[in-house]
């Protein structure tokens, strides 16, 4: 193994050695590769169950060193001598972001199930506790699948990809045809392509457009989602970039045609924006487009299936991120959360902790919807900050600390792409912290900056506490390394 490139003091070396030994399971829980390592320098403990198509489906439904640490590893390597602290913050920002993303999607699916009931009960008034009960069912059912059905997850995620693509196609056909069938007609071309409705209170339509990009950032998903399964995917240096590309190409294409069809199906935007539809506006859109409770329920089911599978996928992402942090002694009770369950061959303890924390966030939702929105609204900001922690050092160190891989951008192209990425991230982190509408009051304030700052202080305190034991990800020699596990790169 090559010498670690992040940290070279004797205490850090001892911490690294201790972390590797601490995270290594007994022989009975090792994979078929025995004591072989992966690109993180740790033993290969997880089974590589996911093929290219299943990981593409996983990406749709939720440098070139590919391990389950993802951006946490990249930040540690690209920052050179500052890699330990950069990696620590990147890893924790990423984990906290994915945890909040998990809670957000569980809440969305919970609200959706309540809307399914309301589709046939016009007098039903949805309350927050109704959504919370459904939230709990969704949270723990998806947790059980992630925990007990590890070997079926590739098939499960493949079904999610199928439901997503087929569901979008069916929805487009139905929403395009029904306005003519029920005689209401389609919206005008001007309404779809040129009219601008700005009810936010901001005077600049351009700024409102940029502020609205938060919805797109949430809907398409963050690009690192598949990297957290890198230790469960054969040849991740090739397959994960392909999955990321497929995620955005398919996500953009399906979303574009879907949203255009939805626009043409609307005939009364004011009804959609009414307070009575605040829990799940999509149900009101489908009701208006189809004109029937049955049609509304059918279209909601088509979106419910992939969304529920997305909850399972988010358990995979958040739990693997926590597990990799624990494996490097970056968390409290690292020995407990870094364990791989020998029966289910997954980080069961990390999965259960994610479920418990998600439940706590759901309890916050019952007490205050504003407080819950403040937490989950920080998902995009936190994950994006973690990317900046990896990309900016990569740029400042002249891209010298990453071994070029299959999709390495040569010459000036790589520098330009990295520079634009950093500028984009900085600008949009600021924009995403603005209130969503004016005038601003306590219930309508955007608390993303407050939550992000508070969680960052928490991570800083955690770093002070854990830095003596924290080893951080390590870069290992990938070429002709006899210790490297099969299909590790």
């Amino acid at each position: 193994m090559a010498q670690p490139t992040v940290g070279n003091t004797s205490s850090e070396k001892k911490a690294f050695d201790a972390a590797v030994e601490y995270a290594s399971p007994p022989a009975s829980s090792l994979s078929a590769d025995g004591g072989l390592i992966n690109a993180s320098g740790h033993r290969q403990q997880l089974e590589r169950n996911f093929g290219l198509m299943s990981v593409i489906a996983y990406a749709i439904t939720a440098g070139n060193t590919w391990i389950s640490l993802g951006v946490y590893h990249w930040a540690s390597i690209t920052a050179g001598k500052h890699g330990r602290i950069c990696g620590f913050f990147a890893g924790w920002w990423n984990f906290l972001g994915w945890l909040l993303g998990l809670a957000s999607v569980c809440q969305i699916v919970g609200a959706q199930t309540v809307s399914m009931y309301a589709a046939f009960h016009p007098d039903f008034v949805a309350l927050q506790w109704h959504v919370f009960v459904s939230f709990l069912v969704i949270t723990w059912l998806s947790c059980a699948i992630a925990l007990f059905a590890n070997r079926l997850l590739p098939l499960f995620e493949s079904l999610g990809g199928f439901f997503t693509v087929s569901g979008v196609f069916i929805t487009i056909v139905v929403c395009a045809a029904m306005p003519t069938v029920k005689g209401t007609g389609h919206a005008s071309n001007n309404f779809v392509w040129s009219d601008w409705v700005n009810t936010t209170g901001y005077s600049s339509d351009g700024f409102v457009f940029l502020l609205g990009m938060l919805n797109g950032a949430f809907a398409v998903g963050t690009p690192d989602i598949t990297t957290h399964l890198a230790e469960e995917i054969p040849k991740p240096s090739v397959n994960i970039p392909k999955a990321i590309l497929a995620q955005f190409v398919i996500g953009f294409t399906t979303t574009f045609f879907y949203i255009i069809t939805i626009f043409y199906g609307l005939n009364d935007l004011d009804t959609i924006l009414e307070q009575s539809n605040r829990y799940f506006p999509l149900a009101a859109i489908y009701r208006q487009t189809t004109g029937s409770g049955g049609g509304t329920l059918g279209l909601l089911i088509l979106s419910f299936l992939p969304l529920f599978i997305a909850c399972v996928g988010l358990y995979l992402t958040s739990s693997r991120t926590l597990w990799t942090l624990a494996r490097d002694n970056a968390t409290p009770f690292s020995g407990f959360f870094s364990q791989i369950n020998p029966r289910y061959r997954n980080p069961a303890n990390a999965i259960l902790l994610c479920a418990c924390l998600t439940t706590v966030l759901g309890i916050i939702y019952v007490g205050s919807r504003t407080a819950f929105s403040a937490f989950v609204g920080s998902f995009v900001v936190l994950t994006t900050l973690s990317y900046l922690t990896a990309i900016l050092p990569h740029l400042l160190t002249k891209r010298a600390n990453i071994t070029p891989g299959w999709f390495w951008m040569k010459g000036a192209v790589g520098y330009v792409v990295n520079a634009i990425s950093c500028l984009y991230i900085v600008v949009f982190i600021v924009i995403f912290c603005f209130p969503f509408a004016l005038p601003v009051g306590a219930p309508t304030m955007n608390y993303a900056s407050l939550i992000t700052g508070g969680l960052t202080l928490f991570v800083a305190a955690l770093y002070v506490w854990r830095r003596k034991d924290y080893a951080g990800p390590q870069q290992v020699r990938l070429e002709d390394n006899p210790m490297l596990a099969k299909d590790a790169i």
Side-chain angles (χ1 to χ4, degrees):
M1 183 189 304
Q3 290 297 317
T5 60
V6 285
N8 53 15
T9 66
S10 59
S11 60
E12 292 171 359
K13 181 64 169 62
K14 291 178 180 178
F16 167 64
D17 292 339
V20 172
E21 181 179 358
Y22 201 54
S24 300
S28 60
S29 65
L30 289 177
S31 68
D33 293 305
L36 297 179
I37 63 172
N38 51 48
S40 70
H42 291 283
R43 291 187 180 183
Q44 179 63 36
Q45 298 173 257
L46 299 175
E47 296 178 325
R48 298 189 183 272
N49 292 326
F50 287 81
L52 177 59
M53 295 308 299
S54 59
V55 78
I56 288 176
Y58 170 74
I60 296 170
T61 309
N64 289 4
T65 302
W66 299 101
I67 52 173
S68 64
L69 287 71
V71 68
Y72 166 49
H73 181 89
W74 304 333
S76 300
I77 299 303
T78 60
K81 64 180 180 180
H82 303 294
R84 292 180 75 242
I85 188 170
C86 286
F88 192 94
F89 274 84
W92 270 100
W93 277 335
N94 198 255
F95 165 67
L96 292 170
W98 280 115
L99 180 67
L100 297 176
L102 170 61
S104 178
V105 175
C106 287
Q107 185 273 334
I108 291 172
V109 178
Q112 188 173 12
T113 56
V114 174
S115 297
M116 290 180 186
Y117 177 83
F120 288 96
H121 300 82
D123 297 329
F124 173 73
V125 178
L127 300 175
Q128 286 180 209
W129 73 266
H130 296 143
V131 177
F132 174 66
V133 171
S134 181
F135 174 95
L136 287 179
V137 174
I138 297 298
T139 296
W140 285 97
L141 181 58
S142 54
C143 172
I145 294 173
L147 184 62
F148 299 118
N150 189 54
R151 294 195 174 184
L152 295 178
L153 290 178
L155 174 61
F156 201 66
E157 296 299 333
S158 296
L159 287 175
F162 170 77
F163 288 142
T164 299
V165 176
S166 60
V168 167
F169 176 77
I170 295 172
T171 301
I172 288 174
V173 172
V174 171
C175 291
M178 285 305 297
T180 300
V181 172
K182 63 190 182 72
T184 58
H186 294 86
S188 66
N189 290 330
N190 288 336
F191 173 79
V192 175
W193 297 104
S194 61
D195 290 350
W196 184 268
V197 181
N198 180 2
T199 61
T200 64
Y202 287 104
S203 59
S204 172
D205 289 343
F207 178 78
V208 172
F209 175 80
L210 295 177
L211 186 61
M213 288 180 68
L214 176 63
N215 295 312
F218 183 91
V220 174
T222 51
D224 74 308
I225 184 169
T226 54
T227 67
H228 300 284
L229 290 182
E231 294 181 28
E232 299 170 71
I233 303 169
K235 299 181 179 179
S237 62
V238 178
N239 288 330
I240 288 182
K242 291 180 180 178
I244 293 174
L245 177 62
Q247 172 188 355
F248 282 90
V249 170
I250 297 175
F252 172 80
T253 304
T254 55
T255 301
F256 178 79
F257 288 106
Y258 172 83
I259 197 66
I260 295 302
T261 306
I262 291 295
F263 283 160
Y264 273 111
L266 295 179
N267 52 62
D268 186 0
L269 183 60
D270 292 334
T271 301
I272 303 300
L273 300 177
E274 287 179 359
Q275 183 71 9
S276 59
N277 296 318
R278 68 189 188 278
Y279 287 112
F280 202 71
L282 186 61
I285 293 174
Y286 286 161
R287 181 76 187 211
Q288 190 175 114
T289 302
T290 63
S292 69
T296 301
L297 178 62
L299 294 181
L300 286 175
I301 291 175
L302 289 177
S303 61
F304 168 82
L305 293 174
L307 273 176
F308 174 73
I309 294 175
C311 291
V312 179
L314 287 168
Y315 265 106
L316 298 182
T317 299
S318 56
S319 65
R320 268 56 172 181
T321 308
L322 176 63
W323 169 66
T324 53
L325 286 168
R327 192 170 59 175
D328 286 332
N329 291 329
T331 70
F333 311 106
S334 295
F336 182 73
F337 294 116
S338 65
Q339 292 179 9
I340 294 295
N341 187 286
R343 179 177 179 181
Y344 301 114
R345 306 303 291 269
N346 59 25
N349 298 335
I351 293 173
L352 289 173
L353 178 63
C354 289
C356 292
L357 294 176
T358 303
T359 302
V360 171
L361 289 168
I363 294 173
I364 293 175
Y365 175 81
V366 177
S368 171
R369 191 178 176 203
T370 300
F372 178 81
S373 298
F375 276 98
V376 300
S378 303
F379 159 67
V380 173
V381 175
L382 286 167
T383 52
T384 306
L385 273 175
S386 69
Y387 305 150
L388 182 65
T389 313
I391 299 173
L392 184 59
H394 187 45
L395 183 64
L396 296 178
T397 57
K398 299 181 180 180
R399 308 170 75 229
N401 294 324
I402 292 290
T403 303
W406 288 94
F407 300 95
W408 180 262
M409 290 185 178
K410 299 180 180 179
V413 176
Y415 287 96
V416 171
V417 170
N418 290 154
I420 292 175
S421 300
C422 292
L423 181 62
Y424 176 91
I425 288 172
V426 171
V427 170
F428 275 91
I429 282 177
V430 175
I431 291 176
F432 290 163
C433 290
F434 272 75
F436 303 123
L438 297 177
V440 181
T444 59
M445 178 62 184
N446 184 352
Y447 294 97
S449 58
L450 176 64
I451 297 300
T452 301
L455 291 176
T456 299
L457 291 176
F458 164 76
V459 175
L462 198 60
Y463 179 76
V464 172
W465 174 27
R466 301 296 301 173
R467 62 180 177 178
K468 290 184 178 179
D469 297 321
Y470 169 62
Q474 309 295 316
Q475 188 173 26
V476 300
R477 179 172 57 86
L478 301 181
E479 297 81 7
D480 301 323
N481 191 336
M483 296 180 64
L484 208 60
K486 181 181 179 182
D487 288 337
I489 59 175

mmCIF file of all heavy atoms in Angstrom, residues 24-51:
data_model
loop_
_atom_site.group_PDB
_atom_site.id
_atom_site.type_symbol
_atom_site.label_atom_id
_atom_site.label_comp_id
_atom_site.label_asym_id
_atom_site.label_seq_id
_atom_site.Cartn_x
_atom_site.Cartn_y
_atom_site.Cartn_z
ATOM 1 N N SER A 24 -12.166 -3.501 10.756
ATOM 2 C CA SER A 24 -12.108 -4.808 10.102
ATOM 3 C C SER A 24 -12.869 -5.838 10.915
ATOM 4 O O SER A 24 -12.648 -5.985 12.116
ATOM 5 C CB SER A 24 -10.648 -5.250 9.960
ATOM 6 O OG SER A 24 -9.923 -4.316 9.188
ATOM 7 N N PRO A 25 -13.770 -6.576 10.299
ATOM 8 C CA PRO A 25 -14.581 -7.543 11.008
ATOM 9 C C PRO A 25 -13.841 -8.857 11.174
ATOM 10 O O PRO A 25 -12.799 -9.080 10.576
ATOM 11 C CB PRO A 25 -15.787 -7.716 10.081
ATOM 12 C CG PRO A 25 -15.180 -7.530 8.723
ATOM 13 C CD PRO A 25 -14.074 -6.529 8.882
ATOM 14 N N PRO A 26 -14.365 -9.741 11.972
ATOM 15 C CA PRO A 26 -13.781 -11.073 12.060
ATOM 16 C C PRO A 26 -13.913 -11.802 10.737
ATOM 17 O O PRO A 26 -14.709 -11.445 9.886
ATOM 18 C CB PRO A 26 -14.628 -11.754 13.153
ATOM 19 C CG PRO A 26 -15.902 -10.977 13.187
ATOM 20 C CD PRO A 26 -15.528 -9.585 12.862
ATOM 21 N N ALA A 27 -13.151 -12.853 10.587
ATOM 22 C CA ALA A 27 -13.110 -13.564 9.310
ATOM 23 C C ALA A 27 -14.472 -14.068 8.888
ATOM 24 O O ALA A 27 -14.778 -14.155 7.709
ATOM 25 C CB ALA A 27 -12.117 -14.732 9.399
ATOM 26 N N SER A 28 -15.306 -14.380 9.847
ATOM 27 C CA SER A 28 -16.612 -14.930 9.494
ATOM 28 C C SER A 28 -17.505 -13.926 8.798
ATOM 29 O O SER A 28 -18.460 -14.301 8.128
ATOM 30 C CB SER A 28 -17.324 -15.421 10.769
ATOM 31 O OG SER A 28 -17.491 -14.351 11.675
ATOM 32 N N SER A 29 -17.234 -12.604 8.963
ATOM 33 C CA SER A 29 -18.088 -11.601 8.349
ATOM 34 C C SER A 29 -17.450 -10.963 7.141
ATOM 35 O O SER A 29 -17.995 -10.036 6.572
ATOM 36 C CB SER A 29 -18.434 -10.508 9.372
ATOM 37 O OG SER A 29 -17.262 -9.811 9.746
ATOM 38 N N LEU A 30 -16.283 -11.448 6.730
ATOM 39 C CA LEU A 30 -15.636 -10.893 5.548
ATOM 40 C C LEU A 30 -16.314 -11.393 4.290
ATOM 41 O O LEU A 30 -16.962 -12.433 4.267
ATOM 42 C CB LEU A 30 -14.156 -11.283 5.521
ATOM 43 C CG LEU A 30 -13.247 -10.606 6.552
ATOM 44 C CD1 LEU A 30 -11.856 -11.173 6.425
ATOM 45 C CD2 LEU A 30 -13.235 -9.102 6.367
ATOM 46 N N SER A 31 -16.119 -10.618 3.201
ATOM 47 C CA SER A 31 -16.621 -11.052 1.912
ATOM 48 C C SER A 31 -15.731 -12.158 1.374
ATOM 49 O O SER A 31 -14.734 -12.544 1.981
ATOM 50 C CB SER A 31 -16.641 -9.871 0.937
ATOM 51 O OG SER A 31 -15.312 -9.495 0.647
ATOM 52 N N ALA A 32 -16.061 -12.617 0.203
ATOM 53 C CA ALA A 32 -15.297 -13.700 -0.403
ATOM 54 C C ALA A 32 -13.872 -13.288 -0.722
ATOM 55 O O ALA A 32 -13.020 -14.146 -0.964
ATOM 56 C CB ALA A 32 -15.997 -14.164 -1.673
ATOM 57 N N ASP A 33 -13.595 -11.981 -0.707
ATOM 58 C CA ASP A 33 -12.249 -11.506 -0.997
ATOM 59 C C ASP A 33 -11.315 -11.604 0.206
ATOM 60 O O ASP A 33 -10.152 -11.234 0.110
ATOM 61 C CB ASP A 33 -12.307 -10.049 -1.466
ATOM 62 C CG ASP A 33 -12.995 -9.918 -2.807
ATOM 63 O OD1 ASP A 33 -12.558 -10.596 -3.742
ATOM 64 O OD2 ASP A 33 -13.969 -9.159 -2.914
ATOM 65 N N GLY A 34 -11.843 -12.053 1.349
ATOM 66 C CA GLY A 34 -11.008 -12.205 2.527
ATOM 67 C C GLY A 34 -10.464 -10.886 3.017
ATOM 68 O O GLY A 34 -11.192 -9.967 3.298
ATOM 69 N N GLY A 35 -9.132 -10.797 3.126
ATOM 70 C CA GLY A 35 -8.520 -9.601 3.679
ATOM 71 C C GLY A 35 -8.139 -8.573 2.639
ATOM 72 O O GLY A 35 -7.416 -7.645 2.956
ATOM 73 N N LEU A 36 -8.568 -8.721 1.422
ATOM 74 C CA LEU A 36 -8.219 -7.766 0.386
ATOM 75 C C LEU A 36 -8.860 -6.419 0.662
ATOM 76 O O LEU A 36 -9.899 -6.323 1.305
ATOM 77 C CB LEU A 36 -8.647 -8.286 -0.984
ATOM 78 C CG LEU A 36 -7.962 -9.583 -1.437
ATOM 79 C CD1 LEU A 36 -8.500 -10.000 -2.790
ATOM 80 C CD2 LEU A 36 -6.453 -9.412 -1.486
ATOM 81 N N ILE A 37 -8.233 -5.365 0.138
ATOM 82 C CA ILE A 37 -8.692 -4.017 0.414
ATOM 83 C C ILE A 37 -9.362 -3.431 -0.815
ATOM 84 O O ILE A 37 -9.266 -3.947 -1.916
ATOM 85 C CB ILE A 37 -7.523 -3.114 0.850
ATOM 86 C CG1 ILE A 37 -6.499 -2.974 -0.292
ATOM 87 C CG2 ILE A 37 -6.869 -3.650 2.113
ATOM 88 C CD1 ILE A 37 -5.410 -1.949 -0.018
ATOM 89 N N ASN A 38 -10.076 -2.298 -0.573
ATOM 90 C CA ASN A 38 -10.623 -1.532 -1.687
ATOM 91 C C ASN A 38 -9.852 -0.224 -1.801
ATOM 92 O O ASN A 38 -8.834 -0.037 -1.140
ATOM 93 C CB ASN A 38 -12.128 -1.281 -1.483
ATOM 94 C CG ASN A 38 -12.414 -0.697 -0.113
ATOM 95 O OD1 ASN A 38 -11.767 0.247 0.318
ATOM 96 N ND2 ASN A 38 -13.401 -1.264 0.579
ATOM 97 N N ALA A 39 -10.343 0.697 -2.622
ATOM 98 C CA ALA A 39 -9.589 1.914 -2.913
ATOM 99 C C ALA A 39 -9.495 2.865 -1.734
ATOM 100 O O ALA A 39 -8.766 3.846 -1.787
ATOM 101 C CB ALA A 39 -10.212 2.645 -4.109
ATOM 102 N N SER A 40 -10.217 2.608 -0.651
ATOM 103 C CA SER A 40 -10.122 3.457 0.533
ATOM 104 C C SER A 40 -9.040 2.988 1.492
ATOM 105 O O SER A 40 -8.753 3.653 2.481
ATOM 106 C CB SER A 40 -11.472 3.468 1.271
ATOM 107 O OG SER A 40 -11.711 2.210 1.877
ATOM 108 N N GLY A 41 -8.449 1.809 1.219
ATOM 109 C CA GLY A 41 -7.466 1.245 2.125
ATOM 110 C C GLY A 41 -8.076 0.341 3.175
ATOM 111 O O GLY A 41 -7.359 -0.234 3.989
ATOM 112 N N HIS A 42 -9.395 0.193 3.169
ATOM 113 C CA HIS A 42 -10.092 -0.680 4.116
ATOM 114 C C HIS A 42 -10.369 -2.041 3.482
ATOM 115 O O HIS A 42 -10.358 -2.187 2.265
ATOM 116 C CB HIS A 42 -11.419 -0.044 4.542
ATOM 117 C CG HIS A 42 -11.269 1.170 5.393
ATOM 118 N ND1 HIS A 42 -10.948 1.118 6.721
ATOM 119 C CD2 HIS A 42 -11.366 2.497 5.092
ATOM 120 C CE1 HIS A 42 -10.877 2.338 7.225
ATOM 121 N NE2 HIS A 42 -11.126 3.196 6.243
ATOM 122 N N ARG A 43 -10.639 -3.012 4.325
ATOM 123 C CA ARG A 43 -11.006 -4.323 3.823
ATOM 124 C C ARG A 43 -12.319 -4.245 3.065
ATOM 125 O O ARG A 43 -13.219 -3.491 3.412
ATOM 126 C CB ARG A 43 -11.135 -5.330 4.971
ATOM 127 C CG ARG A 43 -9.808 -5.676 5.626
ATOM 128 C CD ARG A 43 -9.989 -6.792 6.635
ATOM 129 N NE ARG A 43 -8.735 -7.138 7.279
ATOM 130 C CZ ARG A 43 -8.587 -8.124 8.156
ATOM 131 N NH1 ARG A 43 -9.637 -8.848 8.492
ATOM 132 N NH2 ARG A 43 -7.421 -8.378 8.703
ATOM 133 N N GLN A 44 -12.432 -5.067 2.026
ATOM 134 C CA GLN A 44 -13.659 -5.137 1.244
ATOM 135 C C GLN A 44 -14.669 -5.963 2.016
ATOM 136 O O GLN A 44 -14.602 -7.184 2.076
ATOM 137 C CB GLN A 44 -13.397 -5.766 -0.115
ATOM 138 C CG GLN A 44 -14.620 -5.906 -0.998
ATOM 139 C CD GLN A 44 -15.233 -4.572 -1.361
ATOM 140 O OE1 GLN A 44 -14.524 -3.588 -1.556
ATOM 141 N NE2 GLN A 44 -16.552 -4.535 -1.408
ATOM 142 N N GLN A 45 -15.634 -5.281 2.660
ATOM 143 C CA GLN A 45 -16.585 -5.946 3.539
ATOM 144 C C GLN A 45 -17.953 -6.159 2.898
ATOM 145 O O GLN A 45 -18.686 -7.063 3.291
ATOM 146 C CB GLN A 45 -16.761 -5.130 4.830
ATOM 147 C CG GLN A 45 -15.475 -4.995 5.641
ATOM 148 C CD GLN A 45 -15.676 -4.048 6.806
ATOM 149 O OE1 GLN A 45 -15.240 -2.905 6.756
ATOM 150 N NE2 GLN A 45 -16.325 -4.510 7.852
ATOM 151 N N LEU A 46 -18.330 -5.296 1.952
ATOM 152 C CA LEU A 46 -19.659 -5.369 1.354
ATOM 153 C C LEU A 46 -19.619 -6.175 0.062
ATOM 154 O O LEU A 46 -18.623 -6.180 -0.647
ATOM 155 C CB LEU A 46 -20.192 -3.962 1.071
ATOM 156 C CG LEU A 46 -20.354 -3.058 2.290
ATOM 157 C CD1 LEU A 46 -20.761 -1.657 1.851
ATOM 158 C CD2 LEU A 46 -21.377 -3.633 3.255
ATOM 159 N N GLU A 47 -20.724 -6.841 -0.239
ATOM 160 C CA GLU A 47 -20.827 -7.596 -1.481
ATOM 161 C C GLU A 47 -21.147 -6.654 -2.636
ATOM 162 O O GLU A 47 -21.950 -5.733 -2.499
ATOM 163 C CB GLU A 47 -21.926 -8.656 -1.360
ATOM 164 C CG GLU A 47 -21.630 -9.720 -0.311
ATOM 165 C CD GLU A 47 -22.759 -10.715 -0.206
ATOM 166 O OE1 GLU A 47 -23.929 -10.313 -0.372
ATOM 167 O OE2 GLU A 47 -22.476 -11.892 0.048
ATOM 168 N N ARG A 48 -20.542 -6.899 -3.793
ATOM 169 C CA ARG A 48 -20.800 -6.061 -4.966
ATOM 170 C C ARG A 48 -22.011 -6.631 -5.708
ATOM 171 O O ARG A 48 -21.883 -7.321 -6.721
ATOM 172 C CB ARG A 48 -19.548 -5.993 -5.846
ATOM 173 C CG ARG A 48 -18.363 -5.347 -5.128
ATOM 174 C CD ARG A 48 -17.197 -5.070 -6.057
ATOM 175 N NE ARG A 48 -16.066 -4.520 -5.325
ATOM 176 C CZ ARG A 48 -15.885 -3.221 -5.093
ATOM 177 N NH1 ARG A 48 -16.760 -2.342 -5.539
ATOM 178 N NH2 ARG A 48 -14.835 -2.803 -4.416
ATOM 179 N N ASN A 49 -23.201 -6.288 -5.201
ATOM 180 C CA ASN A 49 -24.452 -6.839 -5.728
ATOM 181 C C ASN A 49 -25.013 -6.047 -6.899
ATOM 182 O O ASN A 49 -25.802 -6.569 -7.683
ATOM 183 C CB ASN A 49 -25.517 -6.876 -4.616
ATOM 184 C CG ASN A 49 -25.180 -7.881 -3.536
ATOM 185 O OD1 ASN A 49 -24.603 -8.917 -3.817
ATOM 186 N ND2 ASN A 49 -25.536 -7.572 -2.299
ATOM 187 N N PHE A 50 -24.632 -4.757 -6.995
ATOM 188 C CA PHE A 50 -25.279 -3.877 -7.965
ATOM 189 C C PHE A 50 -24.548 -3.919 -9.303
ATOM 190 O O PHE A 50 -23.343 -3.663 -9.368
ATOM 191 C CB PHE A 50 -25.297 -2.431 -7.452
ATOM 192 C CG PHE A 50 -26.280 -2.200 -6.350
ATOM 193 C CD1 PHE A 50 -25.969 -2.545 -5.039
ATOM 194 C CD2 PHE A 50 -27.515 -1.637 -6.617
ATOM 195 C CE1 PHE A 50 -26.872 -2.333 -4.017
ATOM 196 C CE2 PHE A 50 -28.432 -1.423 -5.595
ATOM 197 C CZ PHE A 50 -28.114 -1.763 -4.298
ATOM 198 N N GLY A 51 -25.280 -4.216 -10.379
ATOM 199 C CA GLY A 51 -24.732 -4.110 -11.726
ATOM 200 C C GLY A 51 -24.963 -2.720 -12.282
ATOM 201 O O GLY A 51 -25.554 -1.852 -11.630
#
